Amino acid sequence: MIIQMLTIALFALLAAASPGPDFAVVARHALAGRRYPAVAVSLGIATGLVVHSTYCVLGLAAVITHSLWMLSVIKLLGAGYLMYLGVKSWRASASSLLMAPDMSVHNSIAASFREGFLVNMLNPKCAFFMMSIFTLVVRPHTSLFLQSVFALEIVLITLFWFVFLSFTLTLEAVQRKMQFMHRSVMRTMASLLCLLGVSVVFEWLGSVALL
């Protein structure tokens, strides 16, 4: 069991730290000095993982990942949402100076939570990741309780990483360094979100072409 938990911890941390939609959305808020919205996004991402974990534990992951129309809908919705966030971030970067955190919270905590939840839920790679983890560590005799413990471990590690990121990127020292390159950094994050969305579309087109 210890080996299984350590394996899950390693994979969960590597997945959370890898550049992707979740990372980009948290960094987008944190680099703009919005600490608590960034934490709310992190909580939304963790809640999305709870949903992914639940259907994995219930054995529904295979149904979702092998349903072409369901995956297509999730991919296209996810791509559209990422590009929407990218365009929104690009437009918001029009103000080149870093605003004070209390003046820059355009999104409510609830809206930030919803943003994190949707980005995670509409990312089909999360479904594949969760399924691969469960395939790796879960055996036919693994109890439902132990599977739930594995799922909770993934959620907590991911939440810890993104909350840590939220606080680190909003430290005063980091924000001071960001002050003179705020616009370029925010536009880089906006471009990353758009590129992630476009890559999902091309990935979907490639899978359709192979049929």
Side-chain angles (χ1 to χ4, degrees):
M1 177 180 171
I2 300 299
I3 299 298
Q4 290 173 309
M5 294 193 73
L6 288 175
T7 301
I8 289 173
L10 178 61
F11 277 103
L13 188 57
L14 288 174
S18 300
D22 293 344
F23 186 95
V25 174
V26 173
R28 166 178 167 256
H29 284 278
L31 289 172
R34 300 192 287 263
R35 173 173 291 176
Y36 294 110
V39 171
V41 170
S42 304
L43 288 168
I45 290 169
T47 305
L49 281 176
V50 169
V51 177
H52 289 303
S53 302
T54 300
Y55 64 65
C56 279
V57 170
L58 295 176
L60 299 177
V63 176
I64 294 173
T65 54
H66 288 87
S67 173
L68 181 60
W69 72 267
M70 194 178 295
L71 271 182
S72 295
V73 169
I74 293 173
K75 283 183 178 181
L76 292 177
L77 285 175
Y81 191 60
L82 288 173
M83 287 187 279
Y84 161 74
L85 291 177
V87 172
K88 182 179 175 183
S89 299
W90 186 277
R91 294 176 63 183
S93 69
S95 55
S96 58
L97 294 178
L98 186 63
M99 300 168 66
D102 61 335
M103 294 293 290
S104 64
V105 184
H106 300 299
N107 289 351
S108 68
I109 298 300
S112 299
F113 175 88
R114 184 171 62 249
E115 186 177 302
F117 178 75
L118 287 174
V119 165
N120 186 269
M121 281 301 300
L122 295 175
N123 183 2
K125 291 184 179 179
C126 284
F128 285 108
F129 169 73
M130 295 299 291
M131 191 174 74
S132 63
I133 287 291
F134 272 76
T135 302
L136 180 67
V137 300
V138 174
R139 300 291 179 265
H141 60 272
T142 305
S143 67
L144 187 62
F145 172 76
L146 197 53
Q147 290 184 52
S148 301
V149 170
F150 292 155
L152 181 61
E153 181 186 8
I154 295 171
V155 171
L156 290 179
I157 288 174
T158 303
L159 177 61
F160 171 80
W161 165 255
F162 284 121
V163 169
F164 170 77
L165 190 68
S166 301
F167 276 83
T168 301
L169 295 181
T170 51
L171 289 173
E172 187 178 348
V174 176
Q175 291 294 302
R176 277 201 303 268
K177 291 181 180 179
M178 290 292 305
Q179 189 168 1
F180 300 105
M181 51 182 180
H182 175 246
R183 176 182 288 184
S184 54
V185 169
M186 293 309 295
R187 287 191 170 179
T188 299
M189 298 309 300
S191 300
L192 176 60
L193 285 166
C194 288
L195 286 173
L196 286 168
V198 171
S199 70
V200 171
V201 173
F202 276 103
E203 183 182 317
W204 173 75
L205 288 173
S207 64
V208 171
L210 291 174
L211 295 178

